[in-house]
């Protein structure tokens, strides 16, 4: 099986070198390109056609990571972009997800979390770092929420990147029931995708 091809985007060479070495330790992961700016990231995403782009948000001069994500997704809507950054505010998460990021990973994540996020993103899973997912759970437990307790729990698990089958196993319900709950969540939040549901959930805490 061919390895997952990745383009790294960070304006710090040392960070890119460290991440490249880390991913290279896995036989199924391969870094095929590096970019130090948003503009370069957009160009490499088009020319190298990787399976995943790992993107920092702060990229020095030029366009930032959010705008780079937006442009990459506009040209390659099938290409997942995984944010890898130190910025952990809800506002940053919302901006990145709104731009089209499939996941949001913090740079203090463990190697295992990074590997799982990369593989999950390529499989179409929305992944959030545990601290971000934890805040989402707290917000979803607010009394004013219109979601039921089970729907709130399921939405939080979505942030972990679980598939419908895995959600069913975790909650001890069938995949059909999972799909029903998801339909209700999407309808209540007025969204059509998992990433959008997570974004709306974060914004409901007063984010603008």
């Amino acid at each position: 099986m061919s390895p997952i091809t990745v383009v790294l985007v960070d304006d710090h060479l040392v960070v890119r070198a460290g991440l490249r070495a880390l991913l290279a330790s896995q036989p199924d992961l391969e870094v095929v390109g590096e970019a130090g700016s948003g503009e370069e990231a957009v160009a490499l995403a088009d020319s190298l056609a990787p399976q995943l782009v790992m993107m920092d948000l702060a990229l020095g001069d030029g366009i930032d990571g959010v705008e780079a994500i937006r442009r990459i997704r506009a040209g390659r809507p099938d290409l997942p972009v995984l944010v890898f950054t130190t910025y952990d505010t809800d506002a940053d998460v919302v901006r990145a997800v709104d731009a089209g990021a499939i996941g949001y990973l913090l740079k203090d994540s463990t190697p295992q979390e990074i590997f799982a996020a990369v593989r999950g993103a390529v499989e179409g899973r929305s992944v959030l770092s545990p601290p971000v997912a934890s805040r989402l759970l707290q917000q979803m437990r607010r009394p004013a929420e219109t979601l039921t307790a089970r729907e709130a729990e399921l939405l939080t698990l979505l942030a972990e990147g679980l598939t419908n089958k895995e959600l069913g196993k975790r909650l001890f319900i069938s995949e059909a029931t999972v799909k029903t709950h998801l339909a209700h969540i999407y309808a209540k939040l007025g969204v059509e995708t998992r990433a959008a549901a997570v974004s709306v959930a974060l914004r409901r805490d007063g984010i603008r």
Side-chain angles (χ1 to χ4, degrees):
M1 181 179 295
S2 300
I4 295 171
T5 54
V6 183
V7 164
L8 305 179
V9 185
D10 197 296
D11 61 341
H12 292 95
L13 179 59
V14 173
V15 173
R16 297 202 309 269
L19 187 54
R20 174 187 279 272
L22 181 65
L23 296 182
S25 70
Q26 302 298 295
D28 63 329
L29 305 179
E30 178 185 4
V31 176
V32 295
E34 298 181 18
S37 69
E39 289 84 355
E40 188 179 4
V42 175
L44 287 183
D46 182 58
S47 63
L48 297 179
Q51 291 172 269
L52 177 74
V53 173
M54 292 190 70
M55 175 83 66
D56 194 4
L57 294 184
L59 298 174
D61 296 333
I63 64 174
D64 64 4
V66 171
E67 179 59 27
I69 293 170
R70 187 174 292 110
R71 295 186 187 185
I72 289 173
R73 295 286 294 169
R76 288 282 308 281
D78 60 325
L79 175 58
V81 180
L82 176 64
V83 171
F84 186 64
T85 188
T86 58
Y87 297 92
D88 63 351
T89 69
D90 291 347
D92 287 318
V93 177
V94 168
R95 290 177 62 237
V97 173
D98 281 350
I102 194 170
Y104 201 100
L105 203 62
L106 299 181
K107 288 184 177 179
D108 61 358
S109 299
T110 66
Q112 290 71 28
E113 289 170 343
I114 293 173
F115 300 148
V118 168
R119 293 169 181 136
V122 172
E123 293 174 356
R125 305 184 190 184
S126 297
V127 183
L128 294 181
S129 278
V132 179
S134 177
R135 289 205 305 275
L136 173 62
L137 175 59
Q138 294 174 2
Q139 291 162 16
M140 286 291 88
R141 285 176 172 168
R142 292 165 58 216
E145 278 298 339
T146 59
L147 299 181
T148 66
R150 175 48 61 91
E151 289 168 352
E153 183 179 15
L154 193 149
L155 179 57
T156 302
L157 292 177
L158 282 184
E160 297 180 15
L162 301 185
T163 64
N164 286 355
K165 184 176 182 180
E166 290 168 337
L167 287 170
K169 288 183 177 180
R170 182 75 68 88
L171 299 176
F172 302 102
I173 58 179
S174 69
E175 285 188 61
T177 301
V178 168
K179 292 179 181 179
T180 298
H181 282 311
L182 288 177
H184 291 163
I185 291 172
Y186 293 171
K188 289 181 178 181
L189 298 182
V191 299
E192 297 180 355
T193 67
R194 297 182 178 215
V198 172
S199 176
V200 170
L202 290 170
R203 186 177 282 120
R204 283 191 168 201
D205 197 42
I207 305 301
R208 290 293 182 267

